Amino acid sequence: MAEERKKPIAIITIGMAGAGKSTFVQRINSYLHSQDPPKTPYILNLDPAVTHVPFEANIDIRDTVNYSEVMKQYNLGPNGGILTSLNLFTTKFDQVLELVDKRVDTVDYVILDTPGQIEIFTWSASGAIITDAVASSLSTVVAYIIDTPRTSAPATFMSNMLYACSILYKTKLPFILVFNKTDVQSHQFALDWMHDFEEFQAALAEHGGTRDAEGEPTYMNSLMHSMSLVLDEFYKHLTAVGVSSMSGDGIKEFFDAVEASRETYETDYLPELARARATREKKLQDAKDESMNKLLRDLTMDRAKNPGGALSDRWDPNAEEDDDDDNDDEDIIDRTEEAWPGQYIDVTRAQRHPEERINWPRPG
Ligand SMILES: Nc1nc2c(ncn2[C@@H]2O[C@H](COP(=O)(O)OP(=O)(O)OP(=O)(O)O)[C@@H](O)[C@H]2O)c(=O)[nH]1
């Protein structure tokens, strides 16, 4: 009997600039295609500023938003441009979800590559909206890509872990620490530090600056000591794998961790999501009830003061209805589907693909 097909897992790749996110996405893409039978990824590029994407994205933010036009039109710098482009794209994210939804029966993984500047995704409303929207429709895992050679100093390692910790607590999603570039440096030191608190303390001491002239622990040392205690708790909630996006080492272990995250998503994230939804709905209902009660109180007072006024409250069936159906044009494109003229409306009305024989809308 054929194995029942599981719903796809969404993998959100996040990481500091240069950690290797795009190379990693390229590697997992080719890994999936090389499986027997091949697995199908559905890839979303959310970095509007990237000039070259080393993989074939199914949905590319650059098809919808022209980053340099956004910078010009809104008079923004590079980071403001990326953030505004992401905001514009997020207003259409329901269409992205519809496109993804059409593929749930044929796709194994939905992979999101995020902007190079990590905070633009992790600390923006758009990033949170996109993450929540994806995570409420698919089993989702965050892959936090770390540049292993650049994080081998204890203080840098701890800063990176604190950042990862903040994302974990913000998203509450299953989380995989992906130590990338293991072809340059093994990630064993990181595993040792994560599993053995004493070892990390010893590494901190070795890097100097932990005692002042009187032999007392410095402020920095005490701070790092307490922070590493916090992190010790955090390490229990995550999985760490070492990979080389260059050679492909460790990619299988990464996918084992992704598969294992399905359970965490169902046991931890979904109940939390249901609780958050119930609380939000209750708050909304309470606010509605309160406004209705206030309206009724006001009407009663009004009637008491002005009994004839009720006549003007009647509904006039001949009055014109405001039939303002917001029929937004469908302007997110799935590159793997055939595009048709008029499907694409660039938010900034600029032409990105002059070589394609499609008449994109031009400024009037
Ligand atoms: N040696 C080695 N280099 C890698 C590996 N993965 C990525 N790189 C290199 O690291 C650099 C940055 O990789 P990118 O994939 O562009 O990193 P990114 O995180 O997408 O960077 P942004 O474009 O800033 O988002 C490139 O020069 C890659 O060739 C790896 O596993 N091993």
Side-chain angles (χ1 to χ4, degrees):
M1 202 177 79
E3 206 185 314
E4 198 195 328
R5 196 186 172 89
K6 289 179 181 165
K7 268 184 91 176
I9 301 185
I11 303 172
I12 305 181
T13 55
I14 293 176
M16 304 281 177
K21 293 178 294 296
S22 305
T23 318
F24 176 73
V25 171
Q26 177 191 25
R27 172 57 66 186
I28 58 178
N29 183 28
S30 63
Y31 172 86
L32 291 172
H33 283 291
S34 69
Q35 296 303 290
D36 186 20
K39 303 258 183 208
T40 321
Y42 191 80
I43 308 184
L44 275 64
N45 170 43
L46 300 181
D47 189 348
V50 70
T51 46
H52 167 70
V53 182
F55 46 81
E56 194 73 42
N58 296 78
I59 296 178
D60 195 321
I61 183 172
R62 296 174 305 161
D63 288 329
T64 311
V65 191
N66 184 322
Y67 157 72
S68 35
E69 278 300 315
V70 168
M71 266 170 63
K72 259 191 244 155
Q73 285 192 7
Y74 296 88
N75 211 7
L76 298 166
N79 285 342
I82 300 176
L83 181 59
T84 307
S85 302
L86 192 66
N87 288 343
L88 289 168
F89 185 72
T90 307
T91 62
K92 303 282 177 191
F93 205 72
D94 54 327
Q95 292 176 31
V96 175
L97 289 179
E98 278 168 26
L99 289 170
V100 172
D101 200 46
K102 279 197 215 161
R103 303 296 190 100
V104 285
D105 296 330
T106 50
V107 153
D108 298 288
Y109 296 95
V110 176
I111 301 166
L112 286 81
D113 190 13
T114 58
Q117 279 70 7
I118 187 169
E119 68 283 5
I120 289 179
F121 192 79
T122 53
W123 290 103
S124 68
S126 301
I129 291 169
I130 292 176
T131 307
D132 289 351
V134 172
S136 50
S137 49
L138 290 177
S139 176
T140 305
V141 58
V142 173
Y144 185 76
I145 318 294
I146 300 162
D147 187 331
T148 313
R150 293 189 120 254
T151 200
S152 55
T156 320
F157 176 78
M158 203 169 62
S159 314
N160 215 334
M161 291 302 108
L162 283 170
Y163 204 99
C165 182
S166 70
I167 300 171
L168 172 75
Y169 285 107
K170 204 164 176 316
T171 62
K172 301 189 175 63
L173 282 166
F175 206 90
I176 304 175
L177 291 177
V178 181
F179 288 96
N180 190 27
K181 310 193 187 180
T182 52
D183 54 300
V184 178
Q185 178 163 5
S186 157
H187 68 302
Q188 192 53 48
F189 73 90
L191 296 182
D192 293 343
W193 288 349
M194 287 167 70
H195 294 149
D196 187 346
F197 179 71
E198 302 293 327
E199 196 152 332
F200 183 64
Q201 292 301 309
L204 271 179
E206 206 176 292
H207 270 71
T210 54
R211 305 261 155 189
D212 61 17
E214 278 91 49
E216 290 297 311
T218 58
Y219 162 72
M220 193 60 182
N221 183 39
S222 314
L223 179 69
M224 302 244 278
H225 181 83
S226 20
M227 285 199 298
S228 48
L229 275 174
V230 172
L231 285 174
D232 215 33
E233 183 60 32
F234 155 72
Y235 296 145
K236 293 181 192 139
H237 298 280
L238 39 88
T239 318
V241 291
V243 305
S244 164
S245 304
M246 280 288 176
S247 69
D249 269 5
I251 299 293
K252 186 190 171 299
E253 289 71 20
F254 168 74
F255 276 104
D256 291 344
V258 168
E259 207 46 53
S261 76
R262 220 187 257 277
E263 201 186 319
T264 323
Y265 171 83
E266 273 158 26
T267 53
D268 297 359
Y269 183 78
L270 278 186
E272 181 66 35
L273 182 70
R275 253 195 308 278
R277 269 202 190 136
T279 315
R280 208 167 41 231
E281 271 160 26
K282 183 170 180 328
K283 261 194 194 156
L284 196 66
Q285 192 55 47
D286 288 352
K288 275 188 194 163
D289 291 349
E290 173 59 27
S291 328
M292 183 51 89
N293 290 341
K294 189 169 175 311
L295 177 73
L296 290 175
R297 272 197 310 272
D298 288 353
L299 275 176
T300 319
M301 269 162 59
D302 204 41
R303 294 279 187 282
K305 278 192 204 151
N306 179 16
L311 282 175
S312 56
D313 288 344
R314 293 223 180 120
W315 172 60
D316 177 0
N318 297 322
E320 264 186 43
E321 270 194 42
D322 183 13
D323 193 12
D324 190 14
D325 250 354
D326 206 2
N327 238 341
D328 279 351
D329 291 310
E330 180 148 346
D331 60 357
I332 298 290
I333 60 165
D334 180 333
R335 293 173 158 211
T336 37
E337 277 179 0
E338 237 175 87
W340 67 91
Q343 177 193 22
Y344 171 89
I345 307 246
D346 192 325
V347 177
T348 58
R349 295 179 155 211
Q351 188 170 7
R352 253 192 31 83
H353 296 296
E355 73 277 9
E356 289 179 14
R357 293 188 313 277
I358 298 170
N359 292 324
W360 305 122
R362 304 293 299 154

